[in-house]
Amino acid sequence: MNPALVLKAGREKSLRRHHPWIFSGAVERIEGEAASGDTLTVRSADGKPLALAAWSPKSQIRARVWSFDPGAKIDAAFFRTRIAEAAALRRTLEIDRHSNALRLVHGESDGLPGLVVDRYGDVLVAQFLSAGAERWREEILDALREASACEAIYERSDAEVRALEGFGPRTGFARGNQNARRCAVIEYGMNFRVDVERGQKTGFFLDQRENRQRVRELAAGREVLDCFCYTGGFAIAALSGGAHGVIAVDSSGAALEVARENLAANALEPDAIEFVEADVFAHLRALRDRRAQFGLVVLDPPKFAPTAAQARNAARAYKDINLLALKLLAPGGLLATFSCSGGVPMDLFQSIVAGAALDAGVQAKIIERFAAAADHPVALDFPEGEYLKGLLVLRP
Ligand code: SAH
């Protein structure tokens, strides 16, 4: 029999709505012996079994639900089934018509809390970010290999959130061919190299795939500024969409090196993108002082507010860059502005951009909204899964 996690009286409501997180404040007691990652039967205060969850003794999220069927069995077959379901969902999306890269497993929204898996061609990159995912690592790796027939699995369990679960970082090949370090990705006919060892996160930002495509469609004939360009995703999309010229800014020299390789890997004018290694906050000011003007500006900053508690400082940072970017827009110019902060919901983000426009003295309109690509689904029971949002703003 599993050890049990007994909830405090009245704290079963979110579980009944199938929210997968159990916070420390909701836990009355543990019955039996439970080690990190062990499967617990979650019970209401009056003893009703509600779910099976993985024990995370170090984390404020004390347990994450594997199944809302308390009679289920959490074993290798369970992970094979969940991973097969995640793969089946991606097949129905037919992403492979446009790309050989996709997010195969998106954590809680695929019923696999703490597990993120991206596929780059024949290579999978996996992140084990919770005590439960860590406990079942071998079974999960076997199931991934089986479901995807991939050549190799590279582990990038070096995200900061692992520390909250009490684990140090772990990276390296977990399965298969040890030479698959640089993966060639094709996205809507554009070529990108993904450095799975040293790239940020798992190496590439797949969540922006469709938004890069939209920017590509909008870029024809425009001077483009791509802020926080990383390995050149938006910049290369804009250029291949017919942009006149692109300035692409990032503070990471390593990312810009890959960005230059990416540009060279496409049949595009090699001098049409000027890569600038700089802090975006400072560089936007420099461009303003030079009275530079752009027909399209992309702002895709890193997560300024991972949680709602950090939203205040993040709001200042978002407002600052959006204000500067709006001032750089020529009449008829477009701003594609994003936030991937879970702690900043769309309504807050929109009001930050509105404040920035007001202070910039720019009249602007929202003409479209952006979200993460469909291979980053949001389980309706787990609104936290919706983290990437964006606005397309027109300066008339
Ligand atoms: N738009 C990219 C992803 C951006 S990720 C794509 O489509 O692939 C965020 C990027 O911001 C990272 O490359 C990081 O190096 C960069 N960055 C973070 N802080 C920065 C700063 N203050 N100035 C410039 N770049 C920064």
Side-chain angles (χ1 to χ4, degrees), residues 59-369:
S59 170
Q60 280 311 304
I61 303 173
R62 224 27 85 81
R64 293 169 197 250
V65 173
W66 289 129
S67 173
F68 289 96
D69 171 7
K73 200 158 185 284
I74 308 305
D75 56 9
F78 171 84
F79 292 100
R80 276 202 301 274
T81 304
R82 284 278 158 99
I83 287 167
E85 285 166 2
L89 166 64
R90 274 58 181 188
R91 275 195 297 278
T92 65
L93 298 174
E94 298 190 8
I95 290 165
D96 56 358
R97 285 169 50 199
H98 306 293
S99 182
N100 63 348
L102 55 74
R103 174 148 296 189
L104 183 60
V105 178
H106 190 48
E108 277 76 352
S109 292
D110 281 304
L112 292 165
L115 180 67
V116 170
V117 184
D118 285 335
R119 179 163 75 89
Y120 300 119
D122 293 332
V123 177
L124 301 187
V125 181
Q127 296 183 304
F128 296 84
L129 305 175
S130 66
E134 181 79 5
R135 160 70 181 76
W136 294 98
R137 180 173 171 274
E138 290 299 321
E139 290 80 357
I140 288 169
L141 287 167
D142 289 340
L144 286 170
R145 193 90 203 267
E146 194 183 297
S148 66
C150 62
E151 192 183 341
I153 305 178
Y154 194 85
E155 180 172 3
R156 282 296 301 270
S157 297
D158 55 351
E160 279 167 24
V161 289
R162 248 175 87 90
L164 303 177
E165 299 278 315
F167 300 117
R170 191 197 305 109
T171 61
F173 281 97
R175 291 286 188 278
N177 174 1
Q178 311 267 314
N179 295 314
R181 280 152 210 259
R182 279 264 170 131
C183 305
V185 160
I186 302 172
E187 187 178 282
Y188 288 98
M190 299 180 290
N191 297 309
F192 295 101
R193 314 285 167 85
V194 178
D195 183 342
V196 300
E197 271 185 304
R198 282 181 303 264
Q200 297 183 29
K201 304 280 173 62
T202 67
F204 199 59
F205 292 90
L206 293 168
D207 50 1
Q208 292 282 28
R209 181 194 313 109
E210 308 307 320
N211 304 330
R212 283 190 282 266
Q213 215 28 40
R214 187 67 185 121
V215 159
R216 185 184 193 176
E217 290 165 358
L218 294 164
R222 295 182 191 260
E223 294 292 337
V224 176
L225 174 64
D226 178 11
C227 297
F228 310 96
C229 70
Y230 187 51
T231 55
F234 281 105
I236 289 167
L239 186 59
S240 76
H244 266 318
V246 183
I247 297 177
V249 187
D250 202 282
S251 57
S252 162
L256 291 176
E257 206 176 294
V258 179
R260 286 192 188 92
E261 276 183 43
N262 283 338
L263 176 58
N266 290 279
L268 294 168
E269 171 62 51
D271 298 328
I273 302 181
E274 180 194 340
F275 291 106
V276 181
E277 184 175 339
D279 173 58
V280 163
F281 292 81
H283 199 68
L284 284 170
R285 288 186 166 76
L287 290 167
R288 175 199 61 193
D289 295 345
R290 262 185 252 156
R291 300 185 183 284
Q293 293 264 278
F294 296 91
L296 172 60
V297 177
V298 178
L299 287 178
D300 184 24
K303 214 190 291 175
F304 291 149
T307 67
Q310 291 131 305
R312 235 181 126 79
N313 284 339
R316 210 165 302 139
Y318 284 121
K319 184 169 176 189
D320 191 28
I321 54 175
N322 279 281
L323 192 157
L324 289 159
L326 284 160
K327 282 194 173 178
L328 292 174
L329 288 183
L334 295 166
L335 169 63
T337 179
F338 297 93
S339 162
C340 59
S341 295
V344 177
M346 181 56 116
D347 54 347
L348 175 58
F349 186 56
Q350 184 174 325
S351 73
I352 293 168
V353 175
L358 189 67
D359 287 8
V362 170
Q363 292 235 331
K365 299 175 201 306
I366 296 169
I367 52 174
E368 281 176 35
R369 284 161 205 277

